[in-house]
Amino acid sequence: MPDFPAFAFDTVAHIVAEPGAAGRLGEHIALRFPDARRALLVTDPGFLKTGLVDAPVASLRAAGLTVALYSHVMADPPEAVVLEAVDTARAFGPDIVIGLGGGSSMDVAKLIAVLAGGGQAISAIYGIGNVKGTRLPLVQIPTTAGTGSEVTNIAIVTTGATTKMGVVAPQLYADLALLDAELTLGLPSQVSAVTGIDAMVHAIEAYTSKHKKNPLSDILAREALRLLSANLITVCENGRNLAARQAMLLGAMLAGQAFANAPVAAVHALAYPIGGMFHVPHGLSNSLVLPHVLRFNAVEAAGLYAELAEIVVPAASGSVEARAEALAVAMQQIATVTGIERTLRQIGIHESDLDQLADDAMLQTRLLGNNPRTVTRDDARAIYAAAL
Ligand SMILES: NC(=O)c1ccc[n+]([C@@H]2O[C@H](COP(=O)([O-])OP(=O)(O)OC[C@H]3O[C@@H](n4cnc5c(N)ncnc54)[C@H](O)[C@@H]3O)[C@@H](O)[C@H]2O)c1
Ligand SMILES: [Fe+2]
């Protein structure tokens, strides 16, 4: 008999995965939220420019809803942007909030849904379980296959110049997630690569999460890695492959479900200071430290990494340690093949920056506590040095 731990598992109640679903957003909302009259759609200027916002907005109007657009979301949303978005929402008075974009837009949508109708200040909700009361109805439509934010209970905010803080609360699970790969067909190759790697990291870190690893997250993480590793290069080489794009969205969502319940760890903890200080995309900062954290963790987690290597690199053979190393190499190869940066130096980081990065990484205690191996400040610095 396998020795399963006791565990709890939460996710979004309604998920629709169907190319073209965003063009029928109005129908989906009329079906699930028949009382909704005023919809606030949250997106960023880059996605707005694609024109792909038009069909969902038209379908909302056709369904009789009044629509307002907040389209000033910035990548790695600064707190000031979140507050401006909440003010816009209060002035409009939505009875439903729709996030349409990457993790940045979906995270802002979550925070609007929580803060616009309630009396809490944003500073009061950082951390775990600090959101009080209910929120506005919330629909999430990802346009990157990356963060899985459409099914997570997390929103990440850039506070101050370089630091990131998380809001983690059950109210952040959306009511409905729509996965429509037609929205991702034009996603540039480099964005496809780094967001896809972010999703793979979510699966890998969920599978080795120290305290909340559970059988359901494990199944989701494994299937996520299967879908993501089989389709990531394909979508980078041929962005308009709809089947591969839909598979990526599904994989990113499954990884999101996995890590919402078995949280991520040192890869993300070491990635956040890089993103904060050097303003590179979230997925790229993960990718830069990933192989080095995997090698550091292998002392404790080689067995689990070897299990994942069977999915990502089925040809890997040899000892548990050799297969764990094959996983690290395979992830480095994805970075090589997709042409994204592979060293910290390539994004302008110098030896003299490593102390600051290590100091900042140690502040990510929420994440480091999930890591399979304890990370000291010296360890963090050594991992950055290996990634240089
Ligand atoms: N809530 C969570 O569970 C969670 C998990 C991981 C990361 N995050 C956060 O999510 C954010 C990163 O999200 P992301 O990686 O999805 O990127 P993003 O939302 O910041 O978007 C990145 C860029 O891609 C563009 N873009 C998005 N979709 C596009 C499309 N279909 N076609 C063309 N361009 C498109 C955007 O305009 C933007 O310029 C970070 O703030 C990160 O901290 C949240
Ligand atoms: Fe991530």
Side-chain angles (χ1 to χ4, degrees):
M1 277 284 283
D3 183 14
F4 287 144
F7 72 99
F9 190 93
D10 296 294
T11 194
V12 166
H14 301 292
I15 294 163
V16 175
E18 182 187 19
R24 293 184 290 280
L25 178 60
E27 294 165 40
H28 287 289
I29 290 200
L31 186 70
R32 305 252 178 228
F33 311 94
D35 299 330
R37 293 288 172 269
R38 296 172 71 77
L40 178 69
L41 209 128
V42 182
T43 191
D44 72 83
F47 186 72
L48 184 66
K49 235 189 281 165
T50 66
L52 292 167
V53 178
D54 299 351
V57 167
S59 86
L60 287 169
R61 294 201 169 118
L65 284 106
T66 303
V67 184
L69 203 62
Y70 179 81
S71 60
H72 303 303
V73 173
M74 287 165 64
D76 304 298
E79 191 177 74
V81 167
V82 177
L83 295 176
E84 181 194 88
V86 170
D87 282 347
T88 304
R90 286 199 177 120
F92 173 66
D95 48 25
I96 189 161
V97 180
I98 300 155
L100 175 63
S104 300
S105 296
M106 291 191 287
D107 284 3
V108 172
K110 288 177 182 178
L111 295 167
I112 292 173
V114 163
L115 294 172
Q120 283 186 289
I122 193 165
S123 56
I125 65 170
Y126 291 124
I128 301 175
N130 294 324
V131 175
K132 308 268 182 286
T134 56
R135 56 151 173 78
L136 293 169
L138 177 63
V139 177
Q140 298 282 31
I141 310 173
T143 67
T144 63
T147 68
S149 178
E150 68 276 13
V151 290
T152 73
N153 55 343
I154 305 164
I156 309 286
V157 179
T158 305
T159 53
T162 58
T163 41
K164 282 200 166 192
M165 291 183 74
V167 179
V168 185
Q171 292 92 334
L172 267 50
Y173 284 115
D175 297 301
L176 170 65
L178 290 190
L179 306 186
D180 176 359
E182 287 181 6
L183 301 172
T184 67
L185 293 176
L187 196 63
S189 172
Q190 302 260 315
V191 184
S192 303
V194 298
T195 50
I197 292 171
D198 182 32
M200 293 184 78
V201 174
H202 296 156
I204 294 170
E205 294 211 283
Y207 201 69
T208 55
S209 195
K210 186 161 183 170
H211 304 294
K212 293 191 174 170
K213 178 177 168 64
N214 66 79
L216 208 39
S217 284
D218 284 353
I219 292 168
L220 295 164
R222 293 174 64 93
E223 180 62 3
L225 273 183
R226 191 186 69 76
L227 289 163
L228 295 164
S229 59
N231 291 284
L232 198 151
I233 307 279
T234 308
V235 298
C236 292
E237 289 176 352
N238 176 14
R240 303 206 69 80
N241 182 328
L242 185 65
R245 288 290 196 187
Q246 192 71 31
M248 288 297 292
L249 270 181
L250 180 56
M253 185 202 72
L254 299 178
Q257 290 179 317
F259 91 86
N261 293 280
V264 294
V267 180
H268 275 73
L270 270 70
Y272 279 140
I274 298 173
M277 285 170 66
F278 296 91
H279 304 289
V280 294
H282 171 73
L284 177 57
S285 37
N286 273 316
S287 180
L288 290 167
V289 293
L290 171 65
H292 310 287
V293 175
L294 293 181
R295 289 183 180 121
F296 170 81
N297 282 350
V299 174
E300 298 288 345
L304 296 175
Y305 291 153
E307 291 174 18
L308 297 181
E310 284 171 24
I311 299 166
V312 178
V313 253
S317 60
S319 66
V320 162
E321 289 72 23
R323 282 178 284 140
E325 173 60 18
L327 178 67
V329 170
M331 295 308 298
Q332 270 174 318
Q333 273 166 354
I334 291 176
T336 306
V337 173
T338 57
I340 61 171
E341 289 88 345
R342 280 169 297 140
T343 67
L344 297 183
R345 276 203 185 86
Q346 287 174 307
I347 58 163
I349 298 182
H350 301 102
E351 174 96 39
S352 54
D353 298 313
L354 301 190
D355 284 314
Q356 183 68 52
L357 286 170
D359 287 343
D360 285 2
M362 295 317 287
L363 301 176
Q364 299 289 338
T365 48
R366 173 176 73 85
L367 301 172
L368 290 173
N370 303 319
N371 202 55
R373 182 177 172 191
T374 303
V375 182
T376 66
R377 196 244 177 228
D378 284 351
D379 295 332
R381 197 187 183 289
I383 293 168
Y384 284 126
L388 197 59

